[in-house]
Amino acid sequence: MQTNTELWLDRTLRTGAVGTWWSAGTPGGGTLGMLQLEPDLVAQEAARQRVAAVVAKLRAANPPGVVRTTELVYETRRAWLVVATVPKPTLADLLAGHGGSPLPTGAAAGLAVDIATALRELHAVGLTHGDLAADTVVLTGAGAAALTEVGVLAAIQDAPADVTRDARAWAALARTLAAVAGAEESGLLVAAATTAESGDLTAAARRLALAAASLPDFETRDALAASLPALDQAAPPRIPAQRESTVDRIGGPDGTVAPTGEAEPTVTVRLRFGPGVPDQVLASTSPVTAAKDEPAPPRRGWLRRLFSRR
Amino acid sequence: MLDWTVPGYRAVRELRRGTSATGLGERTVLGTHLATGLPVLLRHLDGTLPEADLDARRADARLLAAVRDAHVAHLYEWVETDLGVALVRQYVPGASVRSVLRGSRLAPAAGLVTLRAGLLGLAAAHEQGLAHRGYKPENLLVDAEGTVRLADFAASRPPHSPVDPSATATPDGPAATAGGEPAPPARRDGFDDERARDVRAAFATFVAAVTGGDNPDKLPRKLRGLAGAAAALDGAALLAALEPAARAAIGADWHQRGARELASLVAKAQPTSRKGQR
């Protein structure tokens, strides 16, 4: 069935590994999120079909802890992923926006448990995230964490489902959270990260949940939830400054985000040794100049839905 | 000058700001690698470095990147921009030995764990032809499990600058000359001297952490023999002497005990430790 409902693009939220997120308005006055997939990444029909297959699987399973994907929309050469809620703020916003003030006690461990639980739900239905990072985790209004961009990058790259990659990415996130958490919570997160790095995400999450349950406010997300509106105000849309190919991205950084109020440097020499692959030297000795192939933002306007909601 | 950060990373929190020995602005920032979420430490040198200094530092970065050792904080990237230079390295959640000391002393077992890790880290770097040139408690990072890593290689002074010969002299002289053998020819760039200075600094740091001063005679009796091994300024010899001395002084489980003590100190120091990590 085809619905032909129209959506209004509102503003860009951020640019990530696979494209640019927008908030969008619906005719009924509601809002939702739209991810414009980078045209080059889905230029091949095969890549589009793989993304469509992942989206179909996600819609069918609708696993808890994942921002619900409602449809995949094609508009001439562009492809858009539509999700049910505006996916902001992200965990990356939280980490950046908190500055010197600590997270509420229990919040970091609580978020890590949320993410691990969502990953396990995904794995249980045969899906993997494949690109778990601070900017693909969204904070809900209730102060919980939910996943976005599930399986999209892996589908584009035709990468096999890799549960241990998710576990390692979770461990990295847990270590990031440990860096901003209080002392006791930090120790729990580091221990859980070490367990997850060995590939056992389930054991890591279970132990963390049990240990963290004794922390004050672990189960109540009120303090974190209350801080989110201010955080959202403090996280203006960010402008993509430099994009690199997804092949480069596997070992090194992806598209670049300039924190607000900071100058954007012109890179003349960049020697990479990780951290995506800590045991492999990815150094390029030739100078690299910042790319200027910033994708043109999509025209502000109406979109036509070609696929209906289930 | 506006602050800047390395493309591909997000600055989370500034840990330290100051002026480097060469007069450039220096900022240390906790950040995250956007693609993986990994926490990293970004060291920015703001401004323009002299070309020779830049070449030497770049060469050191390549050497450091080749050091893959559990006792060394790994270097992830070296980035040159129009606004300055940045090094991106592994972030070690925890605290520096300087932070956990807070003016007090380490128990001998904990001190020995830091010395062993420091010597192993130095050995891995020396193997690649890289000297630390700034070994001190601030650069020994301890994580929540009591594991120690050596960080910030070659950051303390311009690389390969002339070494003051008097700085490496000891009452006993270097081991190579003690037995009447001719000393091996020093490398033109002073690497052998720098390597010896690293070992001496490692032992001095250990003595200071355990005794609060610089007199090895104030170490526990069974550890005083280490001073003899340290005087040879040979890291391998000192490491070889360390294990039996530690077992004799503390027991077979000296390492576990030391790591536990360090972990407990880190847990106490954590609220302020992030300022301690450079």
Side-chain angles (χ1 to χ4, degrees), chain A residues 2 16 19 27 42 73 86 109 113 131 139 166 182 187 204 213 215 247 254 256 261 277 279 291 295-296:
Chain A
Q2 195 163 305
V42 286
V73 177
V86 179
V113 170
D131 189 29
L139 303 172
D166 280 353
L215 295 169
V247 175
D254 171 42
T256 306
V277 277
D279 294 326

Side-chain angles (χ1 to χ4, degrees), chain B residues 47-67:
Chain B
T48 308
L49 273 79
E51 196 60 37
D53 194 6
L54 197 59
D55 287 346
R57 285 175 187 270
R58 193 189 300 128
D60 277 344
R62 286 205 177 95
L63 294 177
L64 180 56
V67 179

Side-chain angles (χ1 to χ4, degrees), chain A residues 56-103:
Chain A
K57 214 167 173 179
L58 260 181
R59 285 177 48 173
N62 194 18
V66 176
V67 176
R68 189 162 61 85
T69 301
T70 56
E71 54 201 316
L72 184 63
V73 177
Y74 288 107
E75 179 219 23
T76 47
R77 286 184 63 249
R78 296 186 186 126
W80 301 78
L81 207 65
V82 184
V83 300
T85 53
V86 179
K88 71 182 177 82
T90 63
L91 180 56
D93 293 328
L94 179 71
L95 292 170
H98 259 266
S101 63
L103 281 172

Side-chain angles (χ1 to χ4, degrees), chain B:
Chain B
M1 176 182 286
L2 263 178
D3 289 349
W4 58 281
T5 196
V6 179
Y9 294 86
R10 186 195 305 275
V12 174
R13 180 186 300 126
E14 183 172 293
L15 303 179
R16 185 184 159 88
R17 182 185 287 263
T19 307
S20 73
T22 48
L24 296 174
E26 190 171 336
R27 289 175 295 122
T28 304
V29 175
L30 170 65
T32 52
H33 180 227
L34 286 172
T36 59
L38 273 175
V40 297
L41 207 82
L42 299 129
R43 271 182 86 108
H44 300 85
L45 277 175
D46 298 329
T48 308
L49 273 79
E51 196 60 37
D53 194 6
L54 197 59
D55 287 346
R57 285 175 187 270
R58 193 189 300 128
D60 277 344
R62 286 205 177 95
L63 294 177
L64 180 56
V67 179
R68 292 289 160 184
D69 187 271
H71 305 95
V72 173
H74 294 169
L75 179 68
Y76 293 148
E77 293 205 37
W78 159 271
V79 185
E80 292 167 37
T81 76
D82 56 335
L83 299 178
V85 169
L87 287 113
V88 187
R89 74 148 163 88
Q90 178 184 18
Y91 173 69
V92 181
S96 70
V97 168
R98 168 70 72 205
S99 306
V100 302
L101 275 171
R102 283 192 195 166
S104 65
R105 298 174 194 177
L106 286 184
L112 286 164
V113 167
T114 64
L115 176 60
R116 179 177 176 275
L119 289 172
L120 287 169
L122 285 178
H126 292 169
E127 179 82 20
Q128 297 294 332
L130 179 69
H132 191 289
R133 300 198 292 268
Y135 191 108
K136 52 188 172 183
E138 288 87 336
N139 294 334
L140 281 169
L141 309 178
V142 190
D143 70 15
E145 288 150 8
T147 305
V148 182
R149 288 181 184 80
L150 191 51
D152 296 340
F153 277 78
S156 69
R157 65 189 173 87
H160 308 308
S161 62
V163 174
D164 174 11
S166 65
T168 56
T170 68
D172 297 325
T177 58
E181 296 288 323
R187 292 188 194 185
R188 200 162 51 85
D189 63 1
F191 176 68
D192 288 341
D193 287 336
E194 291 178 337
R195 194 166 54 175
R197 284 165 63 109
D198 279 350
V199 173
R200 194 177 63 159
F203 189 69
T205 298
F206 161 72
V207 172
V210 174
T211 69
D214 58 1
N215 185 357
D217 291 340
K218 293 194 174 165
L219 285 170
R221 190 174 52 79
K222 290 180 179 172
L223 295 180
R224 286 176 204 158
L226 290 176
L233 300 179
D234 177 346
L238 183 53
L239 262 176
L242 189 151
E243 177 74 28
R247 280 174 173 267
I250 294 155
D253 63 343
W254 69 271
H255 196 275
Q256 290 93 319
R257 284 170 59 179
R260 268 202 307 274
E261 284 160 9
L262 284 172
S264 132
L265 288 171
V266 166
K268 288 179 198 156
Q270 202 125 36
T272 55
S273 65
R274 288 177 203 117
K275 289 175 186 165
Q277 181 157 166
R278 290 159 42 93

Side-chain angles (χ1 to χ4, degrees), chain A residues 218-275:
Chain A
F218 172 64
E219 284 303 333
T220 63
R221 306 302 179 87
D222 299 354
L224 180 58
S227 70
L228 293 182
L231 176 66
D232 198 23
Q233 294 297 315
R238 287 179 293 271
I239 308 301
Q242 177 190 344
R243 285 203 65 81
E244 295 164 350
S245 75
T246 52
V247 175
D248 284 344
R249 187 191 175 283
I250 292 167
D254 171 42
T256 306
V257 173
T260 311
E262 292 194 339
E264 183 60 35
T266 301
V267 177
T268 53
V269 175
R270 187 161 194 162
L271 307 179
R272 285 204 178 120
F273 316 107

Side-chain angles (χ1 to χ4, degrees), chain A residues 38-58:
Chain A
E38 195 65 42
D40 291 348
L41 299 181
V42 286
Q44 305 287 331
E45 177 60 24
R48 288 198 294 272
Q49 284 182 0
R50 288 193 297 271
V51 173
V54 166
V55 169
K57 214 167 173 179
L58 260 181

